[in-house]
Amino acid sequence: MMGNLDIYNAVRTVPADAKKPITGGKLNGYTDINPMWRIRMLTEQFGVCGIGWKTETVNKETVPAANGEVAAFVDINLYVKVGGEWSEAIAGTGGSMLVQTEKGKLVSNDEAFKMAYTDAISVACKALGFGADVYWSAGESKYSKPADTAPVANAAPKDISAEVKCSKCGIVIQSAVGKDGTKYTPSEVAGKCKG
């Protein structure tokens, strides 16, 4: 019998070659996950697309945005087969810009709906735990700002002794528990990262 966290634990960690730092725009400093990694993991966990997992597009729409820009949105339901039975719908909404300003001019993106669909799969997959370690990192997401992790001047170094990932680079840093039992957040120990 499958445990509640079996799938979550199998898909939570994203390999380094499927991650890329985002270096511009409003998501600067976050991590992009290769969408083909999700497809591979869906196939690995549930079977071939259409047999072990599938999507259903339930809505496509465009929405006017600021300054003449236009956003494209796709709503999907993701279904996975576990133990020979199809799941209920796992909803996902994705978006991309169909018309956006570049170098002072409005330009169209003929791949906007494809990009929005891919984004929708990503959102639905989060409910199953896909890439959880990336999204969990110090509680950061594209909807929140990372905490200031600059070391405090003249602060005594904190002893660390249990495994935790650096909130800046994702590399495992020793621990977030001091010798006195005090627990520290990943951002508090980020200064110890050598990556």
Side-chain angles (χ1 to χ4, degrees):
M1 183 173 168
M2 182 175 288
N4 289 345
L5 290 174
D6 288 353
I7 294 169
Y8 182 97
N9 286 328
V11 299
R12 67 183 295 167
T13 303
V14 182
D17 63 352
K19 294 188 289 187
K20 181 173 69 173
I22 299 172
T23 57
K26 61 184 174 184
L27 300 182
N28 186 36
Y30 293 102
T31 302
D32 184 35
I33 299 173
N34 185 322
M36 288 310 296
W37 173 79
R38 290 185 191 89
I39 301 301
R40 177 180 174 184
M41 295 309 293
L42 281 165
T43 303
E44 185 177 297
Q45 292 299 309
F46 306 109
V48 177
C49 181
I51 297 172
W53 68 275
K54 62 185 177 180
T55 64
E56 169 190 32
T57 301
V58 294
N59 187 46
K60 288 183 184 180
E61 67 178 315
T62 59
V63 177
N67 304 317
E69 294 184 325
V70 179
F73 292 97
V74 174
D75 298 322
I76 68 159
N77 288 328
L78 171 67
Y79 300 91
V80 296
K81 192 183 282 187
V82 177
E85 291 188 35
W86 284 104
S87 69
E88 293 293 320
I90 304 166
T93 297
S96 185
M97 295 307 292
L98 178 64
V99 179
Q100 65 185 3
T101 305
E102 290 182 12
K103 298 181 181 176
K105 296 181 181 179
L106 289 175
V107 294
S108 299
N109 177 0
D110 64 351
E111 299 208 344
F113 278 105
K114 181 183 82 168
M115 294 165 74
Y117 172 76
T118 300
D119 188 33
I121 292 174
S122 165
V123 172
C125 283
K126 284 180 191 176
L128 294 169
F130 280 63
D133 291 351
V134 170
Y135 301 115
W136 187 283
S137 176
E140 296 173 16
S141 77
K142 74 178 188 179
Y143 306 109
S144 64
K145 286 277 213 191
D148 181 10
T149 58
V152 178
N154 301 323
K158 297 175 182 175
D159 296 317
I160 55 176
S161 59
E163 187 174 278
V164 76
K165 288 186 178 183
C166 173
S167 63
K168 287 185 177 179
C169 69
I171 293 174
V172 173
I173 315 171
Q174 295 288 319
S175 159
V177 180
K179 287 183 179 176
D180 63 355
T182 304
K183 293 181 181 177
Y184 301 105
T185 66
S187 49
E188 288 179 302
V189 294
K192 298 196 176 283
C193 176
K194 303 292 187 232

